Amino acid sequence: MGILRFMLLVSLGLVLFGLKTTVSQPQQAQVPCFFIFGDSLVDNGNNNRLISLARANYRPYGIDFPQGSTGRFTNGRTYVDALAQIFGFRTYIPPYSRIRGQALLRGANFASGAAGIRDETGDNLGAHTSMNQQVELYTSAVEQMLRYFRGNTNELQRYLSRCIFYTGMGSNDYLNNYFMPDFYSTSTTFNDKTFADSLIKDYTQQLTRLYQFGARKVVVTGVGQIGCIPYQLARYNNRNNSSGRCNERINNAIVLFNSQVKNLVDRFNKGQLKGAKFVYLDSYKSTYDLAANGAAYGFEVVDKGCCGVGRNNGQITCLPLQTPCPDRTKYLFWDAFHPTETANILLAKSNFNSRAYSYPMSIQELANL
């Protein structure tokens, strides 16, 4: 490890080690509204009424959340819950499936477990709301919001231009599509490069559509180090070795995709979408650093789910009424796929006012524009 890399990790470790997993809030929200698009990492209940295996509205999910099992795929708060608190929202941004009327003006969460950039992604798990469908739901929401501005599209545009839009997509396009050849044909149709190219082409259109309907401050997160989640550790090491190594075949494909997402952000910021500002979050690097320096952050277990079945608690995800680990704060992962509340809060705080994992500015700088 190079000396600069070592010094960066040490400094980040000291910063994050000092962060408490409580979130202090400003007196008033820094932005008027917060719109969220994504998958199960940020879904907070949109899948609850769908016929799908990608649901989390049962115990012990939500065991540490005040409202209990709401459909969040973790023990407590998600990453965007923590961000909403840091922004100063007094309540969490609700799922779009439960929003009515004027509440839309505070924002909405359109995320759906198993969703991807491609429409067919996640079909192996049942019903879900793809990114294309989430974008269309958002355009319908904009039409609803227009009535509160008496049909004045310019006023609504000015309002939306002050809001933060968060989008995190791509994980399922690899986990529940490209690297699932028994169910999908994409791995025979594409190679790693052409599949990433295809995803970026679709993602460009989807993000442009958000821009056309008012998005001007947009946070786009890359895909995390999913070759190292408990699910992959259980599958990969069971078939190939017992050394606990990550599945670098998947990680290498993710790095390729992430580099293209960052390039897309550059293109948008250099005039392709006039008046908009995009921020890229390097989730791959942030999740790598969190796992590699787990002890510095208070984690004792970084390769197993707190709740699950089989090797690494990752062969089968957390089952209804299963007893999870007693101290969730010691675990990086809640289940086979998703971080614990503690990890989510640490990641949100480290991303908010630092450029260590954000480009070309921090989330706070974006909000202040």
Side-chain angles (χ1 to χ4, degrees), residues 23-34 65-67 72 77 80-94 106:
V23 179
S24 60
Q25 294 177 279
Q27 291 299 311
Q28 65 181 53
Q30 300 176 48
V31 293
C33 48
F34 186 20
F65 194 72
Q67 286 77 45
R72 289 165 168 83
R77 285 166 285 182
V80 293
D81 287 333
L83 273 187
Q85 287 187 289
I86 297 171
F87 280 133
F89 289 100
R90 294 303 174 189
T91 57
Y92 302 114
I93 303 301
R106 289 181 58 255

Side-chain angles (χ1 to χ4, degrees), residues 171-365:
S171 296
N172 286 310
D173 292 293
Y174 287 92
L175 288 176
N176 288 298
N177 192 327
Y178 187 65
F179 285 106
M180 192 172 280
D182 292 341
F183 200 94
Y184 300 95
S185 62
T186 44
S187 60
T188 57
T189 306
F190 301 99
N191 58 36
D192 290 1
K193 168 91 169 46
T194 56
F195 187 64
D197 290 342
S198 176
L199 290 178
I200 293 299
K201 180 181 177 182
D202 292 343
Y203 210 14
T204 300
Q205 295 172 347
Q206 293 157 355
L207 295 175
T208 300
R209 183 79 168 154
L210 292 181
Y211 170 83
Q212 292 168 341
F213 278 78
R216 293 297 182 270
K217 298 181 180 182
V218 186
V219 177
V220 183
T221 182
V223 175
Q225 201 180 19
I226 57 175
C228 301
I229 61 175
Y231 173 74
Q232 284 300 325
L233 293 177
R235 295 177 73 246
Y236 181 69
N237 293 318
N238 186 48
R239 291 180 302 179
N240 296 278
N241 63 76
S242 57
S243 67
R245 291 191 302 112
C246 298
N247 187 336
E248 297 303 336
R249 170 76 179 86
I250 292 180
N251 282 342
N252 290 337
I254 294 304
V255 168
L256 185 61
F257 170 75
N258 284 345
S259 67
Q260 294 205 35
V261 175
K262 187 176 181 182
N263 289 339
L264 176 61
V265 165
D266 264 337
R267 293 201 304 274
F268 284 157
N269 285 338
K270 290 177 179 177
Q272 188 169 322
L273 296 182
K274 185 178 180 181
K277 183 61 69 174
F278 283 70
V279 167
Y280 170 73
L281 290 186
D282 191 346
S283 296
Y284 190 96
K285 184 173 182 294
S286 62
T287 54
Y288 170 84
D289 288 348
L290 205 59
N293 301 275
Y297 309 143
F299 295 119
E300 295 178 359
V301 184
V302 298
D303 61 349
K304 297 179 177 65
C306 167
C307 186
V309 178
R311 187 190 294 263
N312 298 87
N313 278 351
Q315 289 178 289
I316 300 175
T317 198
C318 195
L319 299 173
L321 303 180
Q322 184 177 352
T323 301
C325 64
D327 188 352
R328 273 76 69 182
T329 65
K330 303 299 183 186
Y331 279 71
L332 175 59
F333 290 100
W334 160 249
D335 63 10
F337 302 93
H338 308 97
T340 56
E341 175 186 71
T342 299
N344 283 326
I345 293 172
L346 287 170
L347 288 168
K349 286 187 170 185
S350 66
N351 287 339
F352 188 72
N353 56 15
S354 168
R355 295 189 182 187
Y357 304 117
S358 61
Y359 170 86
M361 65 182 69
S362 68
I363 297 174
Q364 185 171 38
E365 289 172 313

